[in-house]
Amino acid sequence: MARSLEGKLGIVTGGSRGIGAAIAENLASKGCNVVINYTSASSTELAASLAAQLSSAHNVRVVPVQADVGTPAGAATLISAAKESFAGADSRFQIDILINNAGIAINGTISQVKVEDFEASYRVNVLGPLLVVQAAQPYLPTDRSGRIINLSSVSSSTGFVTQSVYGGTKAAVEAMTRSWARELAANATVNSVNPGPVEGPMYAANPPEFMEGIAGWVLHTPLMKAREGIDSPEVVKDAKESGGRPAYTKEVAGIVGMLCGEEAGWCTGQVVSANGGMIMQ
Ligand code: NDP
């Protein structure tokens, strides 16, 4: 049976690890060729080995590209490297799927916010997706079959303590999503997904005051209750202490992958819930 994304090309920014790596795997498992972007030299080996593993497991082409998407040169490098790897013999090149996933979180209360942290956060989380979309625009499909998914966060609307900067960047991502849904209507659907807590270093790095601030939210999130016998004993134990378990990266990737399918073609300009019910819109 043909796979649902067979032969398509997807670009995943920040695809070397965490949610981005899970999204790359989801797309590859459906037959999609993937460009995995990352920025740090320390992730080069990780990205290369993920690319090799996904290629061989799913019989697709996966190419890692190191580029800082928060700079015009980096965004241009990402798209030109993708073109170099995937343009056909007739030079035809199309980006079917673009996942703006790369992001950073620098948390701090009002008095702790530094100008450089503000600038870095908005550069990577807000300017980055805009620059990548600018560079990708000439190569989007012209039949509305394209898919652009931006990673937002529940933090855009929850007002979590220490997240005036991070939450602001994610609110901006959602606002851009709505404008792009209109501007790119002939090319692609454009949606964002809004995870809550997700397993991985970004979640683990949250300071105690942040964890205290979200405890009530976690307790009231229906799908964050850990399941004895299904979740690992470690996850169940941690959840008892914090009130609930974070999402597995594949649970967020599954929602992103769903939005990339042909069947999702009538959904655009939305913030799609990917948070276990932490936010009910
Ligand atoms: P991780 O910290 O695990 O991974 C971040 C990824 O982004 C890495 O691949 C990193 O590359 C890449 N990256 C960072 N800066 C740049 C840059 N300037 N240019 C290119 N790539 C870059 O993140 P998560 O998987 O936790 O988060 C992914 C997305 O989901 C983010 O947008 C985040 O805001 C959002 N999110 C995460 C939540 C969570 O709890 N984890 C909750 C809600 C939203 P490298 O390996 O080279 O550093």
Side-chain angles (χ1 to χ4, degrees), residues 79-264:
I79 301 304
S80 66
K83 189 175 178 192
E84 216 164 275
S85 294
F86 287 98
D90 55 359
S91 297
R92 222 183 139 267
F93 174 62
Q94 180 166 293
I95 300 168
D96 302 293
I97 295 168
L98 171 59
I99 314 293
N100 283 307
N101 166 78
I104 57 173
I106 308 174
N107 291 335
T109 54
I110 296 168
S111 63
Q112 291 166 337
V113 172
K114 297 194 194 86
V115 170
E116 57 267 34
D117 294 342
F118 177 95
E119 287 175 349
S121 299
Y122 275 82
R123 188 178 64 73
V124 177
N125 296 4
V126 183
L127 182 59
L130 180 60
L131 291 171
V132 174
V133 163
Q134 278 180 339
Q137 189 172 11
Y139 306 111
L140 294 176
T142 51
D143 61 356
R144 293 188 173 177
S145 65
R147 298 285 182 266
I148 298 176
I149 322 283
N150 302 318
L151 268 287
S152 173
S153 164
V154 292
S155 303
S156 67
S157 50
T158 46
F160 289 150
V161 168
T162 73
Q163 292 203 324
S164 51
V165 173
Y166 180 73
T169 67
K170 294 305 185 179
V173 164
E174 293 176 9
M176 293 195 299
T177 298
R178 291 186 274 272
S179 291
W180 298 351
R182 293 189 197 285
E183 290 189 32
L184 299 173
N187 311 106
T189 63
V190 187
N191 292 290
S192 50
V193 302
N194 62 348
V198 181
E199 62 176 342
M202 194 180 275
Y203 180 64
N206 286 319
E209 66 264 39
F210 175 81
M211 295 308 290
E212 273 162 35
I214 69 165
W217 292 85
V218 171
L219 271 177
H220 286 95
T221 302
L223 298 184
M224 287 182 77
K225 290 182 188 4
R227 302 153 298 179
E228 303 258 5
I230 297 177
D231 299 304
S232 71
E234 194 185 27
V235 166
V236 172
K237 180 175 164 284
D238 287 351
K240 278 199 181 119
E241 281 154 26
S242 61
R245 71 163 175 91
Y248 301 121
T249 54
K250 69 177 181 196
E251 291 174 311
V252 175
I255 293 164
V256 173
M258 183 178 79
L259 289 169
C260 292
E262 196 185 340
E263 302 83 355

